[in-house]
């Protein structure tokens, strides 16, 4: 694998993906991120066992296809610490070399096959929703979601979409936050969302595509899938 890309764009994408990694992982593979170069695009994927985020970057110039598994936090820290305009990545059989101006670093590689198989987006329910409205509702009510893992249902946020209205509710058993917005939607749905899934979502786009079934919910933006 070989590619070169703008450091600021790389740092922003890395920050989104690395934010999903757990601070303490039962399985060491979740401390790593999957880098995949294919047909002039770099895909960066991270997971924690519950949430998966995949971010894509269009590459400029020549690149060589390949996929590697590297330590996400270390790569993120080095890219952010650099003042270079461009970052280059190149792999050998057992190592990945990163160069950013005068900064050089080598990463030991894990087998990409160790990374969990990425799930397909669910397809039972599909609709589009205004991204700013979704994230605005989340920011207003997420403070009330429980942090107590022994009551997992209260750590989630209840999101209901009906005819002409969207409602989001969070509660930790002592306090409750409710936000409603007038929104046109072609479907009715009730979804329990992990706060992390919404907190890592990039801002700036007009609409987000939502996919759901009885067990999973997925969000798709132009270059990001959560």
């Amino acid at each position: 694998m070989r590619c070169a890309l703008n450091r600021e764009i790389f740092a922003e994408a890395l920050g989104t993906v690395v934010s999903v990694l757990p601070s303490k992982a039962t399985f060491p593979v979740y401390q790593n991120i999957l880098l995949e170069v294919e047909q002039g695009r770099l895909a960066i994927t991270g997971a924690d066992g519950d949430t998966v985020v995949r971010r894509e970057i269009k590459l400029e110039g020549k690149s060589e296809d390949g996929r590697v598994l590297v330590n996400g936090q270390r790569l993120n820290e080095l890219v952010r610490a650099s003042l270079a305009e461009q970052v280059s990545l190149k792999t050998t059989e057992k190592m990945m070399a990163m160069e950013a101006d005068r900064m050089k670093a080598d990463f030991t590689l894990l087998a990409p096959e160790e990374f969990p198989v990425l799930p397909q987006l669910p397809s039972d329910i599909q609709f589009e929703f205004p991204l700013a409205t979704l994230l605005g509702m989340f920011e207003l009510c997420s403070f009330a979601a429980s942090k107590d893992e022994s009551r997992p249902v209260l750590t989630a946020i209840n999101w209901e979409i009906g005819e002409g209205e969207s409602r989001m509710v969070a509660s930790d058993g002592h306090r409750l936050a409710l936000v409603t917005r007038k929104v046109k939607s072609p479907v009715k749905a009730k979804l329990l969302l992990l706060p992390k899934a919404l907190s890592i979502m990039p801002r700036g786009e007009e609409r987000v595509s939502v996919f759901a079934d009885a067990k999973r919910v997925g969000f798709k933006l132009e270059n990001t899938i959560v």
Side-chain angles (χ1 to χ4, degrees):
M1 186 194 85
R2 182 201 299 260
C3 66
L5 64 165
N6 179 274
R7 187 198 66 84
E8 290 187 4
I9 295 174
F10 191 28
E12 192 272 333
L14 270 178
T16 298
V17 174
V18 168
S19 64
V20 80
L21 304 183
S23 56
K24 296 181 180 179
T26 305
F27 301 101
V29 69
Y30 289 130
Q31 300 289 345
N32 295 271
I33 58 175
L34 184 66
L35 305 179
E36 299 173 281
V37 174
E38 185 176 4
Q39 297 182 348
R41 298 183 71 86
L42 170 66
I44 312 168
T45 308
D48 67 356
D50 294 315
T51 306
V52 179
V53 59
R54 179 182 178 88
R55 191 74 181 269
E56 292 190 359
I57 303 172
K58 184 178 179 181
L59 300 171
E60 303 293 340
K62 295 183 179 180
S63 61
E64 292 180 7
D65 292 358
R67 58 201 304 261
V68 296
L69 194 60
V70 299
N71 186 283
Q73 291 288 358
R74 181 169 178 243
L75 179 59
N76 183 52
E77 290 168 0
L78 291 175
V79 171
R80 290 187 176 277
S82 171
L83 299 178
E85 291 186 4
Q86 190 176 71
V87 175
S88 298
L89 305 175
K90 179 182 178 181
T91 61
T92 59
E93 185 176 344
K94 296 183 179 180
M95 303 290 290
M96 183 185 81
M98 185 202 87
E99 292 189 13
D101 200 5
R102 297 182 180 181
M103 178 185 289
K104 295 183 180 181
D106 291 326
F107 293 80
T108 302
L109 302 179
L110 297 179
E113 294 75 20
E114 294 185 23
F115 198 76
V117 176
L118 301 180
Q120 296 293 319
L121 287 168
S123 58
D124 290 0
I125 300 172
Q126 299 182 37
F127 61 97
E128 287 192 346
F129 197 85
L131 179 61
T133 301
L134 174 63
L135 297 181
M137 295 174 69
F138 166 72
E139 290 167 359
L140 287 172
C141 75
S142 59
F143 74 92
S146 176
K147 304 296 190 296
D148 184 0
E149 296 294 338
S150 67
R151 305 176 70 187
V153 70
L154 294 183
T155 66
I157 294 175
N158 184 59
W159 182 31
E160 298 180 17
I161 307 98
E163 293 181 0
E165 185 178 85
S166 173
R167 179 166 64 175
M168 197 172 282
V169 184
S171 175
D172 60 5
H174 300 285
R175 56 187 178 180
L176 183 146
L178 166 65
V179 182
T180 61
R181 292 289 184 268
K182 297 294 182 183
V183 177
K184 292 182 179 180
S185 174
V187 302
K188 291 183 179 180
K190 180 177 181 179
L191 308 172
L192 284 179
L193 308 177
L194 289 175
K196 180 185 282 191
L198 293 178
S199 66
I200 64 178
M201 202 173 302
R203 275 63 173 164
E205 296 186 34
E206 288 189 8
R207 302 184 72 81
V208 57
S209 297
V210 184
F211 304 80
D213 58 20
K215 295 184 178 180
R216 296 176 298 137
V217 60
F219 300 95
K220 185 175 182 180
L221 298 163
E222 182 179 1
N223 296 310
T224 306
I225 296 176
V226 178

